[in-house]
Amino acid sequence: MTAADTQAAGPPVPVPRAPEKTGTSPSEQDAAGPRPKKRRKKGELLPYFLILPAILAIAAVYVYPLIKTVIMSFQDLGRAALWGNGETPWVGFEQFTNILGDTEFWSVVGRTVVFMTICVVLTMGIGLLIALMMLRVSTWVRLVLTVALIAAWSMPLMVAASVFRWLSDSDYGLINTLLAGLTGNEDRWLGHNWFLDPWQGFGIITLLVVWGAVPFVVITMYAALTQVPRELEEAASLDGASAFGVYRFVTWPVIKPVFTMVATLSVIWDFNVFGQIWLLRGNKPEPDYETLGLYSFSKAFESTSFSQGSAIALITVLMLSGVAVYYLRQLIKTGEVE
């Protein structure tokens, strides 16, 4: 065959391939019978049975009281009805209307917000400074400081309140004795009662709250500071950054998520301070020392208006719900970053 004959014949025509058998047809599947069901692995449900007691305990401790509080806030529950000797009429939003229209309630809210803000700022500031200091001290000093912080953190609230009551005692308090010695004015400080003035009294209460909360902040922030890459700090220093610049542009972005979560938790805890004020005021806080928790307790048990106390507690929960949602969002973001 010559080249001319090859060109005249043209290119070879491709032969179509038979379709490959990729699966069975519906008729074949019906003939083969139903597919066997997927069997659960042995022990697959065991984790759910293990956490079931915890779920039931949480439901009993938190969910049921919350539902009961919501129901009581829409009723007019008095002492007689509490013991089953009277009716419990439904009043709708009357309790909330009376509370939100009461100037005393808003005064207590303002007092609570100011007290919470001061406690959170002092707690986070002092805690962060001590955590930064722990990075620069020797190992044995850091160990002693950690033991002291854990001891303060583990001290029961009643014991801590008794210590601060002795420190601020008007006759034998250490604070008055030190101030009298430093200023040389014994007539001014010996016998001085700090709780006659609510501002001074809240100062002592703030010291107790901050003293009990700082250990958690220090330990948590120190753990976060140890995760900052040292090579980045050294590189920033070699590039001419000051100590503040290294902290602002290298250290702070790393510890910011942890700082935000701890600060959010501090807001929730300090907004609900109850035991510190209750114990320092001898179980009988004056109206000037009432925060929202104490105000709710006073309305419920001293005024025997349990529905009104429940409504105040529910309003407090709604106020903190935004903070709780923000905390959960930060927690989710931190998990995504990690």
Side-chain angles (χ1 to χ4, degrees), residues 124-262:
M124 298 305 300
I126 296 173
L128 182 58
L129 290 176
I130 296 176
L132 290 170
M133 182 190 69
M134 290 179 64
L135 290 175
R136 291 163 174 78
V137 297
S138 59
T139 303
W140 71 269
V141 175
R142 184 164 54 248
L143 180 61
V144 172
L145 186 58
T146 303
V147 172
L149 289 171
I150 294 176
W153 193 12
S154 61
M155 182 177 294
L157 177 59
M158 186 171 294
V159 177
S162 299
V163 172
F164 273 80
R165 287 186 66 180
W166 168 73
L167 290 174
S168 59
D169 186 76
S170 58
D171 297 323
Y172 307 102
L174 181 62
I175 297 177
N176 289 353
T177 303
L178 290 176
L179 289 175
L182 291 174
T183 60
N185 190 353
E186 296 184 355
D187 296 335
R188 170 68 177 83
W189 296 111
L190 293 182
H192 177 71
N193 190 341
W194 292 90
F195 291 97
L196 290 178
D197 183 4
W199 287 98
Q200 296 182 9
F202 267 111
I204 302 297
I205 297 170
T206 301
L207 289 178
L208 175 57
V209 173
V210 172
W211 181 83
V214 159
F216 171 76
V217 177
V218 173
I219 295 173
T220 307
M221 295 310 303
Y222 174 74
L225 288 169
T226 56
Q227 304 303 312
V228 180
R230 294 290 173 262
E231 57 272 14
L232 294 182
E233 293 181 340
E234 294 175 358
S237 300
L238 292 175
D239 289 341
S242 61
F244 179 75
V246 172
Y247 174 79
R248 179 182 178 184
F249 296 106
V250 178
T251 306
W252 175 248
V254 177
I255 68 173
K256 182 180 177 180
V258 178
F259 184 90
T260 303
M261 287 191 296
V262 175

Side-chain angles (χ1 to χ4, degrees), residues 60-178:
V61 175
Y62 292 102
V63 177
Y64 175 75
L66 180 59
I67 295 175
K68 190 66 175 178
T69 300
V70 174
I71 294 174
M72 290 173 58
S73 63
F74 290 97
Q75 297 175 334
D76 187 9
L77 181 64
R79 178 173 295 180
L82 181 66
W83 296 103
N85 298 325
E87 296 182 355
T88 306
W90 292 85
V91 295
F93 290 94
E94 181 179 343
Q95 302 291 353
F96 297 94
T97 304
N98 294 336
I99 292 169
L100 296 177
D102 188 2
T103 57
E104 183 183 2
F105 169 76
W106 294 109
S107 176
V108 173
V109 171
R111 187 185 305 126
T112 304
V113 172
V114 172
F115 173 71
M116 176 269 297
T117 304
I118 295 174
C119 289
V120 171
V121 171
L122 290 177
T123 300
M124 298 305 300
I126 296 173
L128 182 58
L129 290 176
I130 296 176
L132 290 170
M133 182 190 69
M134 290 179 64
L135 290 175
R136 291 163 174 78
V137 297
S138 59
T139 303
W140 71 269
V141 175
R142 184 164 54 248
L143 180 61
V144 172
L145 186 58
T146 303
V147 172
L149 289 171
I150 294 176
W153 193 12
S154 61
M155 182 177 294
L157 177 59
M158 186 171 294
V159 177
S162 299
V163 172
F164 273 80
R165 287 186 66 180
W166 168 73
L167 290 174
S168 59
D169 186 76
S170 58
D171 297 323
Y172 307 102
L174 181 62
I175 297 177
N176 289 353
T177 303
L178 290 176

